[in-house]
Amino acid sequence: MSRSKRLLTLLDLLRQSRRPITARQLAQQLNVSVRSIYRDIATLQEQGAQIEGEAGVGYQMASGFWLPPLNFTSQELEALVLGMRWVTRQADPELAHSAAVCLGKVLSELPDDLADEVTHNTLLVGPAASLADDDNVACLRAALQAELKIEFQYQDHAGRNSQRVVWPMALGYFQTALMLIAWCETRQDFRHFRVDRLYDLVVKDQARYPTARRTLMNQWYEQQQIPKPLPF
């Protein structure tokens, strides 16, 4: 492994660790000497990486530190561009705009050769299907972030209408539908709703639901017997 690649890998290890990690642990993972780790950390700190800690105690990336985009590999950039292009095509206007701004920030900081690769990236996203009303999606994302109850009318696949009060937990973006995962007070269980079948949606501004969204999601994963996604 070249030193430049080792430095990038070292940054990733520090960024991913939630607790201080010792130089010996880092050396074992990178298959180098502890002395090499000390030199690498000093080099990264000189280049502006906000690494906290000291020898014998452990090292940790400072909270809020963002890796410069120039540290991305070509394949990582391809994945990032493809993901951002998908969001700009499939998400509501507010989230699509944020994705475009994010991609612009990455592009502005890249060296010329990598910027050219991003500009002429060959991975494209097809035309977007109309998954749901944009206003409803924006309201749902706001309710999710604030952990607020929502109320709406729902029409199922058979055309039956019902009024629901639910605790929103997640939005699932599928190719032909946008699904809301929620705890339903009416059914006293987890339910999945197609967002394009919601209408008269109201966010209850003063009604936080009593169970934390993360707890509800863990319970939902257990009930569905599916593994949790990777933490990113």
Side-chain angles (χ1 to χ4, degrees):
M1 178 187 298
S2 66
R3 187 165 189 252
S4 60
K5 185 175 181 180
R6 188 174 78 236
L7 290 173
L8 293 178
T9 304
L10 178 57
L11 276 173
D12 280 338
L13 290 173
L14 290 168
R15 178 176 58 84
Q16 294 166 11
S17 179
R18 296 186 177 183
R19 298 180 179 178
I21 182 170
T22 66
R24 184 172 299 279
Q25 291 172 316
L26 292 168
Q28 291 174 348
Q29 294 188 58
L30 294 174
N31 196 30
V32 295
S33 68
V34 172
R35 186 179 296 275
S36 294
I37 295 297
Y38 290 150
R39 286 198 298 264
D40 288 348
I41 287 177
T43 298
L44 292 172
Q45 289 173 329
E46 290 173 0
Q47 294 177 355
Q50 299 172 26
I51 301 172
E52 299 175 342
E54 57 183 292
V57 177
Y59 297 94
Q60 188 174 26
M61 195 72 73
S63 176
F65 178 67
W66 175 253
L67 292 182
L70 57 84
N71 284 335
F72 295 147
T73 66
S74 295
Q75 288 188 343
E76 289 169 346
L77 280 170
E78 281 196 330
L80 177 63
V81 171
L82 182 61
M84 293 299 98
R85 284 178 175 172
W86 188 94
V87 174
T88 59
R89 286 295 191 99
Q90 299 288 348
D92 60 277
E94 183 181 16
L95 197 59
H97 174 71
S98 296
V101 171
C102 176
L103 190 55
K105 288 181 178 179
V106 171
L107 185 61
S108 68
E109 295 296 328
L110 290 175
D112 291 341
D113 57 337
L114 289 180
D116 185 68
E117 286 188 30
V118 172
T119 303
H120 299 93
N121 182 276
T122 56
L123 303 180
L124 305 178
V125 177
S130 180
L131 302 183
D133 179 82
D134 291 334
D135 290 338
N136 277 352
V137 178
C139 287
L140 287 172
R141 289 199 298 105
L144 281 164
Q145 293 176 359
E147 299 187 4
L148 294 172
K149 295 182 182 182
I150 58 175
E151 183 176 0
F152 54 80
Q153 298 289 327
Y154 187 69
Q155 185 177 74
D156 67 17
H157 66 282
R160 296 182 295 256
N161 295 318
S162 60
Q163 184 173 353
R164 304 294 183 98
V165 175
V166 306
W167 309 348
M169 297 155 41
L171 286 172
Y173 286 79
F174 296 87
Q175 186 171 356
T176 58
L178 179 59
M179 302 295 295
L180 170 67
I181 302 170
W183 173 265
C184 179
E185 291 188 354
T186 303
R187 299 291 187 261
Q188 287 294 297
D189 201 355
F190 297 111
R191 286 291 185 268
H192 309 120
F193 304 95
R194 282 186 58 135
V195 177
D196 58 351
R197 293 176 180 164
L198 305 180
Y199 59 98
D200 295 341
L201 187 151
V202 176
V203 178
K204 294 181 170 294
D205 293 336
Q206 304 302 322
R208 285 179 61 91
Y209 42 84
T211 305
R213 177 164 47 85
R214 292 182 182 181
T215 301
L216 290 171
M217 284 303 301
N218 287 334
Q219 294 172 354
W220 179 80
Y221 285 124
E222 292 178 3
Q223 185 189 83
Q224 301 297 312
Q225 296 183 337
I226 59 176
K228 297 180 183 179
L230 295 175
F232 51 69

